[in-house]
Amino acid sequence: MLGGSVAIALMRMIISIGGTILLFFLISESRFEKKKTVVLCLCLYVTLIAGTCIWYALSWKVFARMGAFVTYVCFSVFAVWISRDLVYVSLYKLALVFYLISVYMIGGIEIAVFFFNKNVWADILGRIVLLGLIAWFIDRKVKSTIRGFSDYVENELDRFSVAVMMLSLFLGIAFILNPNSQEQTPYRLMQIAMNFFLTGILQILVFRLYLHIGIEKTYMQENQLLEMSHRLLERNMELLAADKEDGASEKICENAAVNRILSAYTAQAKREDIKVMLDVALGSDPGIPNIDLITILANAWENALYGCMEARKEANGRESVIRLMIRKRKNKLVIYCSNTCRVETSLEKGLPRPEDSGGIGVMSIVKTVKKFDGEYDFKNDNGVFIFRLVMSIPAERQLTTVG
């Protein structure tokens, strides 16, 4: 460290803490509205700056050892709390932010040491320039990619990966900020550069690994949607054939699209000797676009049919039942679907395993539910598989669905 007065320490903390907040919110989104987020960040900003300056004035040696660590731990707790991402995703992004902080902080110090005879103003200016370049690069080149990457990380990143990234980061920073290593030599500079390089490579490798896994999952979901579209076409053709024979499809609800798809699946279930119990109270406008509602119902029913078939294989002669309930409650749409299933049917990360659901469209259901800020759950209740969801009706559609 280059030392300096309390005023210099204040300027460093303004840059460091401000840079931390800036970088984190370039790659993350707050769970609160913009105005509230700004107020909360300003309160944290002022509190951390005041606290660190007082600490520096009282004991700069202790602050040099522990100040940065304590400050960033406090910010980490705040960041995890305010971020709309899951905890694992927030930790991943914090690891990336801490790495970038170390780049511009140590970069400013080394610039001042090797080119400006340890001038503290050169250190401060170097930090500002490096921070600006990093923020510009993130905003222009990688912000959307990193934010979009959150969807992949939420499902794939595990505790071990988080622990490895955080450990490598803090070990690297501890080496660089070692107060017992004051001598500045070209060899020391090479060590710092190599440390940054290895830490950065680890971040990139992990990023690419989970990005690749996430893209593969996306391809699988797209294939499921294609398969689902094929099955829907088959069901519609079956329904058309039934219409010709019986004159009209069964009246289940007022919504024509939902009525047709449920009629087709009900007919399919009856042909397979599966008992169907429907309780559908749905008007012509359910508040959710028909394409999204049908995606959920078709996927849920395909999984229910598959579950009943597998249960019958497990215990020949076992009665198979599918129950479906759809209700509107004010600005919410509620769907409940249960079906007979194998007793050993299990879940992974709260979702049915592909081998227990036929691999049909579970992720499509989840994606559609999230689109409408909904909640869902799956469970096996001793041989009865239950799927429940609640979705929010968009505000612009609520007025058109009243009554």
Side-chain angles (χ1 to χ4, degrees), residues 42-103:
L42 285 175
C43 292
L44 177 73
Y45 194 18
V46 172
T47 301
L48 290 180
I49 290 174
T52 52
C53 287
I54 293 172
W55 188 359
Y56 184 89
L58 294 176
S59 178
W60 72 268
K61 291 184 178 180
V62 177
F63 177 80
R65 292 175 179 271
M66 298 295 297
F69 176 77
V70 172
T71 300
Y72 295 136
V73 166
C74 292
F75 175 76
S76 297
V77 174
F78 173 81
V80 170
W81 170 71
I82 199 173
S83 175
R84 67 183 300 177
D85 296 322
L86 297 180
V87 174
Y88 287 167
V89 181
S90 297
L91 290 174
Y92 185 96
K93 292 182 177 180
L94 280 169
L96 179 60
V97 168
F98 291 155
Y99 167 73
L100 296 175
I101 291 168
S102 63
V103 170

Side-chain angles (χ1 to χ4, degrees), residues 60-301:
W60 72 268
K61 291 184 178 180
V62 177
F63 177 80
R65 292 175 179 271
M66 298 295 297
F69 176 77
V70 172
T71 300
Y72 295 136
V73 166
C74 292
F75 175 76
S76 297
V77 174
F78 173 81
V80 170
W81 170 71
I82 199 173
S83 175
R84 67 183 300 177
D85 296 322
L86 297 180
V87 174
Y88 287 167
V89 181
S90 297
L91 290 174
Y92 185 96
K93 292 182 177 180
L94 280 169
L96 179 60
V97 168
F98 291 155
Y99 167 73
L100 296 175
I101 291 168
S102 63
V103 170
Y104 74 73
M105 184 175 69
I106 302 303
I109 293 174
E110 298 303 326
I111 289 172
V113 169
F114 282 95
F115 300 104
F116 297 96
N117 195 27
K118 298 184 179 181
N119 186 293
V120 294
W121 296 108
D123 171 29
I124 291 174
L125 182 60
R127 296 186 189 202
I128 293 174
V129 171
L130 290 174
L131 173 61
L133 290 174
I134 293 170
W136 176 86
F137 180 78
I138 291 175
D139 185 59
R140 295 296 182 90
K141 303 296 183 180
V142 299
K143 181 172 69 175
S144 59
T145 301
I146 294 176
R147 286 186 174 183
F149 176 62
S150 299
D151 294 335
Y152 300 144
V153 178
E154 286 181 2
N155 294 319
E156 306 302 334
L157 192 62
D158 55 25
R159 296 181 181 181
F160 177 76
S161 299
V162 172
V164 169
M165 288 188 297
M166 297 296 289
L167 181 62
S168 65
L169 174 71
F170 285 117
L171 286 177
I173 295 177
F175 167 77
I176 296 170
L177 298 181
N178 183 4
N180 295 321
S181 180
Q182 300 291 341
E183 185 179 2
Q184 301 292 336
T185 65
Y187 177 72
R188 166 73 174 164
L189 182 60
M190 184 183 71
Q191 287 181 313
I192 293 174
M194 185 58 65
N195 186 285
F196 279 138
F197 174 76
L198 294 177
T199 304
I201 286 296
L202 176 62
Q203 296 289 321
I204 292 172
L205 289 176
V206 173
F207 182 91
R208 289 179 63 87
L209 171 64
Y210 286 108
L211 186 62
H212 176 74
I213 293 174
I215 291 174
E216 289 294 321
K217 286 285 185 72
T218 300
Y219 287 154
M220 291 175 61
Q221 293 174 29
E222 290 175 352
N223 288 334
Q224 288 182 352
L225 287 174
L226 290 174
E227 185 177 350
M228 194 70 250
S229 298
H230 177 70
R231 295 200 179 192
L232 284 174
L233 180 59
E234 290 180 341
R235 299 293 182 254
N236 279 323
M237 292 177 67
E238 293 170 0
L239 184 57
L240 288 173
D243 285 344
K244 291 179 179 180
E245 294 176 1
D246 302 332
S249 61
E250 180 183 359
K251 181 66 176 291
I252 298 175
C253 68
E254 298 297 327
N255 184 281
V258 173
N259 191 83
R260 288 184 65 83
I261 195 64
L262 291 184
S263 296
Y265 277 112
T266 299
Q268 171 69 12
K270 291 179 178 178
R271 285 195 294 271
E272 299 292 343
D273 197 25
I274 297 173
K275 184 178 180 180
V276 176
M277 302 175 66
L278 297 176
D279 182 8
V280 180
L282 202 62
S284 58
D285 186 356
I288 302 295
N290 283 338
I291 185 64
D292 296 304
L293 185 55
I294 289 174
T295 295
I296 293 173
L297 294 175
N299 281 288
W301 202 290

Side-chain angles (χ1 to χ4, degrees), residues 16 20 33 41 43 53 69 148 185 218 271 301 338 344 364 379:
S16 297
T20 303
E33 61 182 9
C41 288
C43 292
C53 287
F69 176 77
T185 65
T218 300
R271 285 195 294 271
W301 202 290
S338 68
E344 64 269 20
S364 299
K379 70 175 182 178

Side-chain angles (χ1 to χ4, degrees), residues 304-347:
L305 287 172
Y306 181 85
C308 288
M309 300 287 194
E310 291 297 301
R312 187 172 294 167
K313 293 178 184 178
E314 181 184 56
N316 190 24
R318 180 182 177 189
E319 183 182 25
S320 297
V321 181
I322 296 177
R323 295 180 176 86
L324 176 68
M325 183 273 287
I326 305 177
R327 285 283 189 276
K328 283 179 61 178
R329 298 281 189 250
K330 296 182 179 179
N331 64 332
K332 303 289 184 181
L333 183 67
V334 181
I335 298 177
Y336 172 96
C337 182
S338 68
N339 62 272
T340 308
C341 69
R342 293 186 296 118
V343 176
E344 64 269 20
T345 297
S346 58
L347 307 176

